[in-house]
Amino acid sequence: MPKVTEAHREARRDEILAAAQRVFARNGYRGSSVPMIIKESGLSAGAIYSYFDGKEVLFRAVVERTLELKSSQFASDPDSDPRSPGELMRQILQGMQGEPILTIAPQIWAEAAVEPEIRAVLSQVFERLTSMLRTELTAWAAAHPDRTGADPQAWAARITPVLFSAIPGFILQRLTLDDFDEQAYLDALIDTYPH
């Protein structure tokens, strides 16, 4: 029997997580089951259980994968000028349009409110994301002391949580308001935050 390569194992794991993400996005955590994920993936139960031993473990892995993929897209090009706060948030949110995270994020937040393990994963990812935001905001503030004051790091630390809240605001309004104007929201970010 040929030996399974690490690349093959990673590809299979990603395939399972992609199927699980689709199921969780469609049905929510509580409305999803491992048999649904097995059916969605087209794989055998044995294949799924050889990687993940239950729905909670699958959900945790989907949370980590989903948020990790998004956090890598938040980083800016180190050779470019720092983006203004509004432009930074607009580009982050534009990068999310059409992504599965838009439908699964509220479920992740809801589970994090009651499940300590999910909350721990979410906290780690949020810490990385806010650190990236703070870094870029500090660089922008250093270049614009007339708008931010003499201490760029203090300004960035103060404004980061406020800017970060635009992400769930955008996602929740997009999912729940029939007349939500995504482009108007994105454009308003430029008007709302210094540029």
Side-chain angles (χ1 to χ4, degrees):
M1 183 179 226
K3 188 173 182 179
V4 176
T5 66
E6 188 59 34
H8 175 77
R9 285 187 56 74
E10 278 301 309
R12 179 54 52 92
R13 186 176 190 279
D14 284 345
E15 183 182 356
I16 294 166
L17 289 176
Q21 185 172 36
R22 290 190 300 271
V23 170
F24 289 133
R26 260 195 323 264
N27 305 303
Y29 176 76
R30 305 234 182 259
S32 298
S33 67
V34 174
M36 289 176 174
I37 294 166
I38 292 168
K39 182 177 180 184
E40 180 76 22
S41 71
L43 301 171
S44 69
I48 303 291
Y49 282 109
S50 68
Y51 289 86
F52 304 99
D53 64 5
K55 182 172 86 166
E56 184 179 316
V57 175
L58 267 163
F59 187 74
R60 193 175 326 120
V62 165
V63 169
E64 290 172 345
R65 177 181 186 264
T66 301
L67 296 174
E68 196 61 49
L69 288 172
K70 292 319 304 172
S71 67
S72 68
Q73 293 177 8
F74 285 7
S76 65
D77 178 355
D79 296 329
S80 65
D81 291 334
R83 295 170 281 187
S84 70
E87 186 57 35
L88 173 62
M89 294 314 299
R90 181 167 70 171
Q91 287 179 7
I92 287 170
L93 291 171
Q94 280 177 326
M96 292 178 149
Q97 289 177 311
E99 292 285 335
I101 192 170
L102 290 179
T103 54
I104 200 170
Q107 296 167 46
I108 293 170
W109 301 328
E111 289 303 315
V114 295
E115 296 291 338
E117 289 184 13
I118 301 296
R119 186 165 48 251
V121 171
L122 193 62
S123 293
Q124 290 170 359
V125 174
F126 277 5
E127 195 173 301
R128 287 194 300 273
L129 297 179
T130 56
S131 175
M132 284 188 285
L133 282 174
R134 254 191 327 272
T135 298
E136 187 157 352
L137 291 170
T138 298
W140 185 85
H144 300 89
D146 55 317
R147 298 180 199 168
T148 62
D151 188 344
Q153 288 182 331
W155 179 86
R158 193 174 70 252
I159 199 168
T160 294
V162 176
L163 282 174
F164 195 76
S165 69
I167 297 171
F170 175 81
I171 292 171
L172 289 172
Q173 290 181 77
R174 186 178 186 274
L175 289 174
T176 59
L177 302 177
D178 292 335
D179 61 347
F180 180 59
D181 186 337
E182 291 182 38
Q183 193 56 52
Y185 184 100
L186 296 173
D187 292 342
L189 287 170
I190 302 300
D191 299 330
T192 304
Y193 297 106
H195 52 281

